[in-house]
């Protein structure tokens, strides 16, 4: 039982850090630029496809990621400059419609380039084993590597946000962008950098998810809803909130899916109740979000204004 709890906790952390990589960029874009970007999941998909392509070219997962991330960030930069820059002064409905159109555009573009058939990318050979924590406790090395990378990125983002001039401008932009503009900061350049950073982080999440899930068209939409839940729980514009929210969502979702169906069956002895448990497990993160919003309407760590 202890081993199961530890393994599921690690699974929750693995899902959590993946969500954090998605949420970190999206919450900055939303918090600083006041931009609702439904196409953020497309960069997750593009990162996975580019990584799968470069793995075939270099036969090395690390090299593939190193080439895929800057390219995905460049795609994000171009999207911001060409399609989104004119939407900053528009209302949120216009932004939602425009970025939904970008989702359709990227899905069709991916079909044209890579085809509609999912791509299966193997786990890197040097991470294909399992880490032994005890006689009855082992965990896949690749999933553990995802957790480590996620936390390293979180530390790097914290250092950048709290210790660098760029981070100071980002924090100031999240709190009062009009004041930042009035102080002579090139707000367009800041927006472009933040958007490219967000696209790169989403691409990193997609690259690491590729060997676990199939790389397929529309994969970004599946994780985008969870990402928005993370942002709402953590507080819009807050990196710390994104991290805490992502871990909470990862743990609640993982333990809910593992424990609730069995608990309902144990209580009632009915397979129908087991199905109800599965349904409640699927809703668990939304119940968590509702509870957080009831007590803290602006999220756990809202940006101070």
């Amino acid at each position: 039982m202890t081993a199961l709890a530890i393994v599921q906790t690690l699974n929750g952390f693995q899902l959590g850090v993946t969500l954090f990589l998605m949420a970190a960029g999206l919450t900055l874009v939303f918090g600083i630029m006041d931009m609702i970007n439904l196409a953020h999941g497309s960069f997750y998909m593009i990162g996975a496809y580019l990584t799968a392509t470069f793995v075939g070219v270099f036969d090395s997962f690390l090299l593939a990621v190193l080439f895929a991330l800057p390219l995905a960030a460049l795609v994000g930069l171009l999207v911001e400059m060409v399609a989104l820059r004119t939407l900053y002064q528009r209302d949120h409905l216009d932004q939602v419609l425009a970025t939904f159109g970008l989702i359709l555009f990227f899905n069709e573009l991916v079909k044209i380039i890579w085809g509609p058939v999912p791509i299966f990318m193997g786990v890197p050979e040097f991470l294909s084993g399992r880490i032994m924590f005890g006689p009855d406790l082992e965990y896949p090395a690749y999933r553990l590597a995802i957790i480590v990378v996620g936390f390293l990125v979180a530390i790097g983002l914290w250092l950048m946000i709290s210790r660098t001039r760029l981070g100071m401008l980002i924090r100031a932009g999240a709190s009062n962008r009009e004041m930042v503009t009035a102080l002579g900061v090139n707000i367009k350049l800041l927006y472009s950098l933040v958007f490219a950073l967000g696209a790169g982080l989403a691409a990193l999440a997609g690259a690491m998810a590729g060997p676990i899930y199939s790389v397929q068209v529309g994969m970004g939409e599946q994780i985008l809803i969870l990402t928005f839940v993370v942002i709402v729980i953590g507080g819009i514009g807050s990196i710390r909130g994104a991290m805490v929210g992502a871990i909470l969502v990862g743990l609640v979702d993982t333990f809910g899916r593992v424990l609730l169906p069995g608990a309902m069956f144990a209580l009632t002895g009915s397979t129908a109740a087991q199905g109800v448990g599965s349904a409640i497990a699927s809703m668990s993160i939304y119940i968590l979000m509702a509870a957080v919003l009831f007590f803290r309407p602006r999220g756990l760590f809202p940006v101070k204004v």
Side-chain angles (χ1 to χ4, degrees), residues 256-257 260-261 264 272-287:
R257 292 181 188 281
L260 283 178
M264 293 295 288
Q274 190 175 15
V276 172
S278 299
I280 295 175
S282 300
M283 296 187 293
S284 58
I285 59 170
Y286 305 106
I287 296 172

Side-chain angles (χ1 to χ4, degrees), residues 126-171:
F126 67 100
L127 291 173
S128 59
R130 304 178 77 82
I131 304 295
M132 299 296 297
F133 293 104
D136 298 321
L137 180 57
E138 60 181 23
Y139 196 72
Y142 183 73
R143 288 178 181 264
L144 197 62
I146 291 177
I147 297 173
V148 173
V149 169
F151 278 105
L152 289 177
V153 170
I155 293 171
L157 276 177
W158 176 76
L159 290 174
M160 186 196 76
I161 296 293
S162 62
R163 303 294 175 85
T164 66
R165 175 175 170 78
L166 175 61
M168 180 190 68
L169 293 176
I170 290 175
R171 282 185 284 124

Side-chain angles (χ1 to χ4, degrees), residues 38-61:
L38 295 186
H40 194 69
S42 297
F43 302 120
Y44 172 87
M45 175 180 67
I46 289 171
Y49 269 99
L50 287 175
T51 302
T53 300
F54 286 127
V55 164
V57 173
F58 300 114
D59 195 24
S60 166
F61 182 76

Side-chain angles (χ1 to χ4, degrees), residues 231-305:
I231 293 173
V232 170
I233 290 176
I236 295 172
S238 169
I239 291 294
R240 180 174 57 161
M243 188 66 196
V244 175
I247 296 300
L248 278 176
V249 168
L251 290 174
V252 169
D253 186 69
T254 301
F255 276 100
R257 292 181 188 281
V258 171
L259 297 179
L260 283 178
M264 293 295 288
F265 181 77
L267 286 174
T268 64
S270 167
T271 54
Q274 190 175 15
V276 172
S278 299
I280 295 175
S282 300
M283 296 187 293
S284 58
I285 59 170
Y286 305 106
I287 296 172
L288 171 67
M289 180 178 69
V292 169
L293 290 179
F294 181 79
F295 292 103
R296 297 180 69 89
R298 296 182 59 221
L300 294 175
F301 300 98
V303 174
K304 296 179 181 178
V305 295

Side-chain angles (χ1 to χ4, degrees), residues 108-124:
E108 294 304 316
L109 184 64
V110 165
K111 282 182 186 175
I112 292 171
I113 296 176
W114 285 282
V117 180
I119 298 174
F120 294 94
M121 184 167 49
V123 172

Side-chain angles (χ1 to χ4, degrees), residues 157-201:
L157 276 177
W158 176 76
L159 290 174
M160 186 196 76
I161 296 293
S162 62
R163 303 294 175 85
T164 66
R165 175 175 170 78
L166 175 61
M168 180 190 68
L169 293 176
I170 290 175
R171 282 185 284 124
S175 300
N176 193 325
R177 57 179 173 166
E178 288 79 12
M179 181 63 72
V180 173
T181 306
L183 291 175
V185 175
N186 188 338
I187 199 71
K188 288 185 178 178
L189 178 61
L190 180 64
Y191 281 5
S192 298
L193 290 176
V194 169
F195 199 90
L197 174 65
L201 290 173

